[in-house]
């Protein structure tokens, strides 16, 4: 397969992913959420009476789907969806520095990974929206009262959240710089909090995944609990289809992200807007010549008075 040939063409194959690989897999998940929100917005505009709830609860709907997807990939490949897409896996390091190279995560690391992959981004987005809402209320003058406890709480949140956001983004940048200069094995605070680090999939890992999928398919046909088994099979087929189809759709998602970015509004308007019509001619052809602004077109004499009051309109 192509992934096996990639190992043969490289000069040196290392277990440590490159900086660009880990950043690319993070960018993939960042691009998926706006794409789904835009899809929900289009559906809600087409039928607001029945599908309006899709846009109102787009964050919750995406979080539910993301939790199912991430749980499946963490359970079967020891990696998140985007990490598996780029050929990465999560490796647990114990207290003695030894690595667990099996394609399975302990239950503790599985729950921590789910919390950092699904819950933390959802909380972050909700906090950002709450901050912008309180900021607009403050600009409009609704947070001027100092006796209301709720108003004081909102003012405190407006003061504290930028500091927390700056500290978090600064720590994320510090982790990336440390990973870039090989001073740390974790490129993100989320990965560090999960108690794992990222590593490249080897040829043995890929063969192990293929064998595991074949074994699960055979066990599904002889299982006793048909509802549970078919639910697992449907989830596995859906996750595999998303993973395979994403290789074609990832370019389209990146294009949508660029197309609807605020800094590209002028380019989008220039492409989609109609061409600017030419300015009207200042003179109109007549049988006897051209009309002039100071000559009456009826009697061809110089104008002596205005035909409209100068203050009208």
């Amino acid at each position: 397969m192509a992934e096996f040939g990639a190992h043969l063409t490289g000069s040196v194959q290392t277990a440590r992913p490159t900086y660009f690989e880990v950043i690319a897999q993070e960018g993939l998940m960042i691009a998926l959420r706006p794409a789904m929100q835009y899809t929900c917005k289009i559906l809600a505009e087409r039928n607001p009476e029945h599908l309006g709830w899709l846009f109102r609860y787009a964050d919750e709907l995406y979080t539910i789907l993301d939790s199912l997807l991430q749980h499946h990939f963490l359970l079967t490949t020891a990696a998140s969806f985007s990490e598996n897409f780029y050929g990465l896996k999560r490796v647990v390091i114990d207290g003695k520095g030894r690595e667990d190279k099996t394609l399975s995560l302990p239950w503790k690391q599985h729950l921590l990974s789910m919390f950092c992959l699904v819950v933390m981004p959802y909380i972050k987005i909700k906090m950002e929206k709450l901050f912008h809402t309180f900021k607009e209320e403050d600009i409009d003058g609704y947070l001027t009262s100092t006796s209301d406890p709720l108003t004081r709480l909102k003012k405190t949140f407006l003061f504290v959240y930028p500091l927390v956001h700056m500290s978090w983004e600064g720590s994320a940048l510090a982790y990336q710089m440390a990973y870039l200069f090989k001073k740390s094995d974790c490129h993100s605070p989320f990965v560090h909090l999960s108690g794992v680090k990222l590593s490249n999939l080897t040829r043995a890992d890929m063969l192990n995944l293929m064998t595991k999928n074949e074994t699960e398919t055979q066990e599904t046909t002889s299982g006793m609990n048909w509802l549970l088994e078919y639910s697992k099979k449907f989830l596995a087929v859906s996750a595999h289809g998303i993973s395979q189809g994403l290789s074609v759709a990832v370019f389209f998602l990146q294009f949508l992200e660029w197309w609807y970015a605020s800094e590209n509004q002028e380019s989008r308007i220039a492409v989609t807007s109609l061409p600017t019509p030419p300015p009207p001619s200042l003179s109109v052809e007549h049988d006897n010549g051209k009309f002039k602004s100071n000559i009456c077109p009826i009697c061809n004499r110089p104008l002596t008075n205005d035909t409209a009051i100068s203050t009208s309109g």
Side-chain angles (χ1 to χ4, degrees), residues 139-203:
I139 294 175
D140 294 337
Y142 295 111
L143 302 181
T144 57
S145 176
T146 58
S147 60
D148 187 11
L150 182 60
T151 301
R152 293 199 303 267
L153 184 61
K154 291 180 179 180
K155 297 282 286 187
T156 304
F157 179 80
L158 289 176
F159 176 77
V160 173
Y161 177 77
L163 300 177
V164 176
H165 181 73
M166 181 185 65
S167 301
W168 180 259
E169 295 296 332
S171 64
L173 179 61
Y175 268 91
Q176 292 182 7
M177 292 296 101
Y179 187 85
L180 178 62
F181 293 103
K182 298 183 179 181
K183 301 297 183 181
S184 174
D185 292 331
C186 300
H187 72 283
S188 170
F190 286 149
V191 177
H192 193 186
L193 291 174
S194 302
V196 297
K197 73 172 187 177
L198 297 184
S199 178
N200 283 315
L201 285 174
T202 62
R203 186 176 186 275

Side-chain angles (χ1 to χ4, degrees), residues 120-287:
M120 287 295 291
Y122 175 76
I123 295 177
K124 185 174 181 294
I125 288 178
K126 287 300 181 182
M127 297 291 280
E128 289 180 356
K129 291 184 176 181
L130 199 63
F131 174 78
H132 291 300
T133 301
F134 292 165
K135 190 67 175 179
E136 292 178 357
E137 293 181 359
D138 188 24
I139 294 175
D140 294 337
Y142 295 111
L143 302 181
T144 57
S145 176
T146 58
S147 60
D148 187 11
L150 182 60
T151 301
R152 293 199 303 267
L153 184 61
K154 291 180 179 180
K155 297 282 286 187
T156 304
F157 179 80
L158 289 176
F159 176 77
V160 173
Y161 177 77
L163 300 177
V164 176
H165 181 73
M166 181 185 65
S167 301
W168 180 259
E169 295 296 332
S171 64
L173 179 61
Y175 268 91
Q176 292 182 7
M177 292 296 101
Y179 187 85
L180 178 62
F181 293 103
K182 298 183 179 181
K183 301 297 183 181
S184 174
D185 292 331
C186 300
H187 72 283
S188 170
F190 286 149
V191 177
H192 193 186
L193 291 174
S194 302
V196 297
K197 73 172 187 177
L198 297 184
S199 178
N200 283 315
L201 285 174
T202 62
R203 186 176 186 275
D205 294 331
M206 296 179 184
L207 292 175
N208 188 14
L209 288 175
M210 295 173 61
T211 305
K212 184 188 296 187
N213 293 333
E214 293 177 358
T215 304
E216 290 178 353
T217 303
Q218 294 176 359
E219 291 178 353
T220 301
T221 57
S222 59
M224 298 298 295
N225 194 341
W226 291 97
L227 181 60
L228 181 60
E229 294 297 333
Y230 276 107
S231 300
K232 292 181 178 179
K233 185 176 180 181
F234 175 76
L235 181 60
V237 172
S238 301
H240 180 74
I242 294 175
S243 179
Q244 295 297 324
L246 195 61
S247 59
V248 180
V250 64
F251 173 77
F252 181 70
L253 294 177
Q254 295 291 342
F255 175 75
L256 284 180
E257 184 182 10
W258 171 86
W259 186 257
Y260 290 98
S262 58
E263 60 269 17
N264 295 317
Q265 291 295 325
E266 295 181 359
S267 300
R268 182 158 62 95
I269 293 175
V271 174
T272 58
S273 60
L274 295 175
T276 304
S281 178
L282 297 179
S283 61
V284 181
E285 294 294 337
H286 192 261
D287 294 337

Side-chain angles (χ1 to χ4, degrees), residues 286-298:
H286 192 261
D287 294 337
N288 298 328
K290 297 182 178 179
F291 290 132
K292 297 182 180 181
S293 59
N294 60 345
I295 300 299
C296 177
I298 299 177

